[in-house]
Amino acid sequence: MTRLGVLASGRGSNFQSIIDSIDSGYLYAKVELLITDNPEAFAIERARKSRIPFKIMEPSHYPDRDSYYRAIAEELKKRGVELVILAGFMRVVKKPLIDAYPMRIMNIHPALLPSFPGLHGQRQAVEYGVKISGCTVHFVDEGVDTGPIIVQAAVPVYHDDTEESLSERILMEEHKIYPYAIKLFIEGRLKVDDRRVIILDQKREEDKIINPPLE
Ligand code: GRF
């Protein structure tokens, strides 16, 4: 069983989709620990409900960012975490954590990278006027949303979309592709070749997850 560590700052709906995927048997994994930088995060309630240990770690309690991320890495290692999942963790992860988990940290971003990295990917897409947007699961490197792309899903953008309506449509896909990307990792089917991620032995029916038919 693969041991997961989740980092979240807020609502935690992606965290929930991972919990649900484990409960349903889709993912052969266990969440060993939730770490949050926000004592008010609703993700904490989700952890409580599923009896997942959680730890509130606020950066202001550490002398600098490096020691903060070193402390996070130590907590994760202590519990034998093998894969780190950023699920709405609103911070740029620094070197000590990345070095502790090279190509073992995933993030989900609400846009089709490399378009619209950073904050408010959905608002950026609406304002730019693109006709298709979506979400991206990628490995985390030291840049902002720049790591090797694992899985993407597309959704249409309509002329009367708002940031909220587009976010909602994208979120539905996030809840499918994040568990799928984790499953690929667990099954040892992700091979990183420089900045390209190769999915080994990809099955036809899986194609529907990453390329849902546009409405
Ligand atoms: C999602 O839109 C995700 O793509 C972004 O932050 C949001 C987190 O939502 N990284 P939730 O906390 O998982 O509900």
Side-chain angles (χ1 to χ4, degrees):
M1 204 180 288
T2 302
R3 295 172 178 198
L4 308 178
V6 176
L7 272 61
S9 302
R11 175 178 64 178
S13 71
N14 278 289
F15 175 37
Q16 188 66 53
S17 79
I18 293 161
I19 294 172
D20 294 345
S21 303
I22 292 172
D23 290 348
S24 74
Y26 179 73
L27 289 180
Y28 188 57
K30 185 172 177 222
V31 181
E32 296 289 343
L33 180 66
L34 165 76
I35 293 177
T36 181
D37 57 343
N38 171 15
E40 312 276 298
F42 188 68
I44 296 172
E45 298 311 314
R46 300 182 192 272
R48 274 209 186 97
K49 194 156 173 256
S50 295
R51 299 179 190 286
I52 292 167
F54 65 89
K55 219 173 157 69
I56 299 165
M57 297 177 75
E58 295 178 77
S60 58
H61 297 168
Y62 297 81
D64 52 44
R65 286 297 131 102
D66 274 8
S67 26
Y68 179 60
Y69 288 102
R70 204 168 298 120
I72 289 181
E74 277 166 20
E75 286 298 331
L76 295 166
K77 291 280 176 188
K78 223 161 55 187
R79 287 169 172 83
V81 166
E82 295 156 280
L83 176 66
V84 182
I85 305 297
L86 307 187
F89 185 64
M90 303 308 286
R91 294 179 182 279
V92 179
V93 169
K94 300 288 182 213
K95 208 171 173 341
L97 180 55
I98 294 166
D99 287 352
Y101 285 96
M103 295 300 144
R104 295 278 182 281
I105 307 174
M106 287 186 185
N107 180 44
I108 188 151
H109 181 74
L112 290 177
L113 292 172
S115 291
F116 314 129
L119 290 176
H120 304 295
Q122 307 95 327
R123 188 194 303 170
Q124 293 184 58
V126 169
E127 283 174 0
Y128 195 94
V130 291
K131 303 298 187 197
I132 296 175
S133 191
C135 46
T136 305
V137 180
H138 63 93
F139 283 119
V140 173
D141 62 11
E142 281 180 72
V144 177
D145 303 321
T146 51
I149 290 171
I150 304 166
V151 180
Q152 294 184 300
V155 306
V157 183
Y158 300 120
H159 68 88
D160 55 354
D161 262 326
T162 59
E163 180 181 6
E164 291 71 32
S165 62
L166 180 60
S167 299
E168 216 175 285
R169 195 174 308 123
I170 291 174
L171 196 64
M172 286 174 60
E173 302 310 318
E174 293 187 30
H175 296 163
K176 294 180 210 157
I177 67 167
Y178 217 174
Y180 173 57
I182 296 168
K183 190 180 178 67
L184 291 172
F185 178 92
I186 291 172
E187 292 176 351
R189 291 169 57 204
L190 296 177
K191 191 171 149 233
V192 185
D193 175 16
D194 193 15
R195 64 156 303 115
R196 295 194 313 149
V197 177
I198 296 155
I199 299 177
L200 304 170
D201 188 27
Q202 194 164 21
K203 299 171 186 73
R204 274 257 168 248
E205 64 269 22
E206 290 176 347
D207 202 41
K208 288 198 209 93
I209 304 172
I210 53 173
N211 292 309
L214 295 180
E215 289 157 26

